[in-house]
Structure formats: structure tokens, C-alpha cells
Amino acid sequence: MEALQFVFNPALYVLAKAAGAVHPAAFASRIGLLRYGDVPEPKLPGPEWVKIDTIMGGICGSDLSLIALEDSPSLSPLASFPFVVGHENVGVVRETGAAVTEVQPGQRVVADPLLPCAVRGFKDLCPACAAGRPNRCLRFTEGDIAPGLLLGHCRDTGGSWGATYVAHRSQLIPVPDHVSNENALMAEPFGCALHAVALADVAPGSTVLVIGGGVIGLSVVAALKVLAPHARVIALVRHAFQAERAKKYGAHGVLRPRRGEQYREVAEALGAKLLKPVLGAPVLVGGADVVFECAGSPGALNDALRFARPGGKVVLVGLASFPRGIDWSFIWQRELQIQGVFASGPIDTPLGRMTAMQYAMRLFADGTVDLSDMVTHRFALKDYRQALATAWSKKTSGCLKAVLIPDTAVARAWTGGRREPAPVTEVTAAAGRDMV
């Protein structure tokens, strides 16, 4: 089958790191660790599994970090190489195991990408899974399949950057007929945002600052409107098209500061005072009750710690693998609460307790939330280099979510062969590392 695999090679890792620091396009070239070609289809690991033909797979910021070799090597034991990339997914069931009754061949589904105890065949759940926190599972390296935190990081499951992947019955979320492929694909990032907002436990009347106008930042804005409707939400974004979406999805204020004006504008929006230290950036007196860091950069993390009020919360949703140059003194002096967020999990909703991705699908189905226009670019899987360049060059391309579509009859039938790539010359000339 057609697929994009991440193949680890120590020598190429060193070479790509060096070349990519100068020319980011090198990460998607022959000296990078991403490989396009024909690979065997994944097999059903057991009777509780299904085989799914991909309609489209999303390009996530974490995928870009993976390809740019920014992920911490400390997490490498929680993956198995080589693996087909892609955890944001929507597809059509082709084959079901003998024990599967929840879905039928021909049905559209999304798979929750987490690979915890239940997926790995354990009936006696680990303490984290038993407590309803499968994203904190203690057995991501054990059981019926190879190590992997997520679909798209495990050599046995495949991923959505391939024509076919497999999923356990416990992962499946049926897609209602009237829900678009684009909204279905957004169930995973929006589920992560719902999970993050639920963890933050935002009190009514709170002032919330969301740093980052990419897909995750905008999804957090939309999630706050659902789960914390009485909070005041301010979004800090970089580009005009991100500002428009932030307003549309529910932000009460949107900041897009000019160079050198960020601290002043944020302080004004938060009703805080600015102090000038002997060295370095200004210091706020006051700040937001809750700050969601969704940009995934050291600079954004540094700012998040400065923009939270004493006793406030900083929720780390973005991916900053090696955050150098961070001033950690604000955590101590302001007694900040720091909350990390990984993937999604069950949350309490007005409809009862369910996984955040299930709730995302319910919100799409009843029309409460529509994030379909977040999918701005579509590419054939074979055009992955152009897709990655577009996703890396947001300022030039205007990209929010780019998706990859395999060259299969199923994908053509469900997408109508629709592709909307930006011209290659337009995006590859850009700096290529605009990740916010």
C-alpha cells in the first residue's frame, strides 16, 4: 500500500539534524527519516480489531516536530520503528474481526489514536486506565502490539499517512452521515482541546489567555466556548487569518501585536502593570487566571509563565521538546500551577462522562461546533513534500490544517478527488519554520 513511513537511522539522524538546521526542506528529502513508497498493509492483530481504508490523514504540529527531529529522544522507547505516520484520521471500515459488532464494513469511522491497556489486550487495567486516564497508561510498550503511544507511532497499526490502518474496537467512533470528513478529522485535535480545558477547570468569570493561533490554539478557543462559556477569552496570534478564526470560534479579544509591542498590548488586555527589570523582557504585575500555551515554542512557553497572574494556571498544550532559555523563576515567585496535556481522555459533559473525542463528534453532529473550515489545504499523499512545506510556512500559505489523501478508490469516492495545494514555489521559498 501507499504510505509515508518514519524510518530511524542513526547516521541519517545526525546528517539530517545538521542539514535541516540550514535548509529545513532537508527533513523531507532523501537524507531525512521520512520515506514514501509501497509498504505491506498492517494485519489485524486479533478478533477485536478492524481494518480501515483512509479517507484523509491530518498533518499535526507534533508530526512536523517528529519529521524535523525536534522530539526528545527520551520518548523513543514509547514508539516502534519503522512506523507509518499519522494519528489524525477518518476512514472507512473495510474488514472487521470476528468479535467486532459495533461497526460494519463500509461505515465511516474515526479512531481515537491512543494505544492503552484495552487496545493492547489487557483485561486487568493498569491503575491509570482503571481511573479513566488512558492517556497516562503504564503499558504503552506491552501487550498484543508493538510499543507506541498513538496510532501513527506503532509499527503494527499503521497510520493515516498510509492507505490503510488498523484499530481496536475500543478506539472506534462512528461518523454520522451528515458530519463532513473535515469535521470528523478534527475530532482528534478538538478532543485534545476539550481535554485540556476540562483539566484546567476554568472558573466562571476567569480571564483566559490562549497563546497560539494554529489548529490547537483555535481548537482551545472553541472548547472554552463550550466548556467555560462564562470565561473571558483573549487569543494571542501571529497572522490575520488566525485572528479571524479566533473571533469566529469565540474569542472575546484577539491580539496581534506589532514587533516590540507584545508585552504592552498583553498587559493592557489583562489589566496588568508592566515593570522594567535591569535586563530582559518586561515583567507583568497581574495577568491571566489561566494561560493555555498552544504554540509549542520556547518563546511561547517563556511568555506563558510571564503572563499568568500569581496563583494562576499555565496549561501546556503545545509541544516544546527542548525549551531552552526559559525563565522558570515565575513558577516559584507566583506559585503557578503547571498542567501538562497529552492527547485526550474521558471528560464530564452535560451528556454524561465520555471520551473527549466522542463529545467532539457529538458537538459536530448537533451543529454546536463546526471546525470544518480549519482544513484549508488538501494534498495527494505522493505530494507530501509540498504538503509539509505548506504546513511549515503558515505566513505564506495561510495554512491551518493540511491533509494527505491516498490514491485509492475509497479516498477518491469520499473526497471527489478534491485537492487544493498551494503552488510549490510559493511555499518552499518561505522560512519554513513558522509553527505558531
Side-chain angles (χ1 to χ4, degrees):
M1 70 172 188
E2 181 189 28
L4 278 164
Q5 273 192 328
F6 187 84
V7 182
F8 184 74
N9 178 298
L12 283 182
Y13 180 90
V14 174
L15 179 61
K17 284 282 277 189
V22 180
H23 300 290
F27 291 119
S29 72
R30 276 187 249 176
I31 66 172
L33 303 187
L34 192 65
R35 293 287 178 269
Y36 171 79
D38 186 57
V39 304
E41 277 190 10
K43 298 178 180 179
L44 292 181
E48 296 186 334
W49 289 73
V50 303
K51 187 169 287 190
I52 302 168
D53 288 328
T54 306
I55 295 174
M56 58 176 64
I59 299 177
C60 174
S62 64
D63 298 323
L64 297 177
S65 293
L66 169 75
I67 294 163
L69 307 182
E70 293 173 342
D71 284 355
S72 170
S74 300
L75 297 179
S76 59
L78 300 174
S80 47
F81 306 97
F83 56 78
V84 176
V85 186
H87 60 275
E88 296 177 352
N89 66 92
V90 58
V92 177
V93 175
R94 187 212 304 175
E95 179 185 348
T96 61
V100 176
T101 58
E102 296 87 349
V103 296
Q104 302 296 325
Q107 188 172 354
R108 268 191 316 160
V109 295
V110 165
D112 185 328
L114 276 172
L115 304 176
C117 281
V119 174
R120 296 178 170 278
F122 292 103
K123 304 303 180 185
D124 57 326
L125 303 182
C126 75
C129 288
R133 298 293 184 189
N135 59 323
R136 303 176 187 176
C137 179
L138 302 177
R139 292 172 171 155
F140 282 125
T141 62
E142 304 173 30
D144 296 341
I145 56 174
L149 292 167
L150 301 168
L151 179 80
H153 288 262
C154 171
R155 65 170 175 256
D156 291 338
T157 62
S160 62
W161 292 15
T164 302
Y165 54 98
V166 296
H168 187 265
R169 64 195 297 184
S170 64
Q171 296 174 271
L172 301 177
I173 303 172
V175 181
D177 290 342
H178 62 285
V179 172
S180 68
N181 291 322
E182 289 77 12
N183 265 332
L185 182 99
M186 285 299 300
E188 196 279 333
F190 187 45
C192 293
L194 289 166
H195 172 62
V197 173
L199 281 177
D201 191 24
V202 180
S206 296
T207 295
V208 179
L209 178 66
V210 179
I211 300 177
V215 167
I216 288 298
L218 294 174
S219 294
V220 166
V221 169
L224 284 162
K225 186 176 181 180
V226 173
L227 296 182
H230 301 298
R232 174 175 171 249
V233 178
I234 300 169
L236 178 60
V237 305
R238 181 174 291 179
H239 308 304
F241 68 93
Q242 297 172 333
E244 292 174 6
R245 292 301 207 296
K247 293 175 185 175
K248 176 181 177 180
Y249 296 147
H252 300 95
V254 179
L255 304 179
R256 205 177 145 236
R258 292 167 295 183
R259 184 181 297 275
E261 294 294 314
Q262 177 166 318
Y263 287 92
R264 181 186 63 79
E265 292 191 28
V266 170
E268 289 179 0
L270 298 178
K273 294 188 298 183
L274 277 182
L275 301 179
K276 178 65 177 173
V278 293
L279 290 173
V283 174
L284 272 69
V285 178
D289 298 297
V290 184
V291 180
F292 288 89
E293 193 290 292
C294 303
S297 70
L301 175 54
N302 210 23
D303 287 343
L305 300 177
R306 289 172 175 268
F307 294 157
R309 66 161 175 82
K313 300 176 184 176
V314 177
V315 185
L316 305 180
V317 194
L319 183 71
S321 300
F322 297 102
R324 299 181 179 89
I326 305 301
D327 188 343
W328 302 104
S329 60
F330 296 102
I331 298 176
W332 160 75
Q333 187 268 324
R334 297 181 181 178
E335 295 190 339
L336 298 178
Q337 300 176 53
I338 309 299
Q339 175 68 63
V341 178
F342 170 64
S344 65
I347 62 173
D348 292 318
T349 79
L351 303 174
R353 192 162 178 81
M354 64 182 70
T355 71
M357 284 185 62
Q358 288 173 329
Y359 191 44
M361 194 66 76
R362 294 281 191 96
L363 294 170
F364 294 147
D366 67 18
T368 300
V369 177
D370 180 4
L371 301 181
S372 59
D373 64 349
M374 202 93 84
V375 178
T376 54
H377 293 72
R378 299 161 180 80
F379 296 88
L381 190 60
K382 64 182 176 63
D383 295 327
Y384 69 95
R385 288 193 175 101
Q386 186 177 350
L388 294 173
T390 300
W392 265 320
S393 306
K394 289 178 170 56
K395 180 179 180 179
T396 308
S397 66
C399 180
L400 283 172
K401 175 64 64 183
V403 298
L404 296 167
I405 302 172
D407 184 19
T408 63
V410 167
R412 287 192 295 271
W414 281 96
T415 64
R418 185 180 177 190
R419 308 286 192 276
E420 296 174 346
V424 175
T425 54
E426 178 183 332
V427 294
T428 55
R433 304 315 307 279
D434 181 10
M435 301 285 288
V436 179

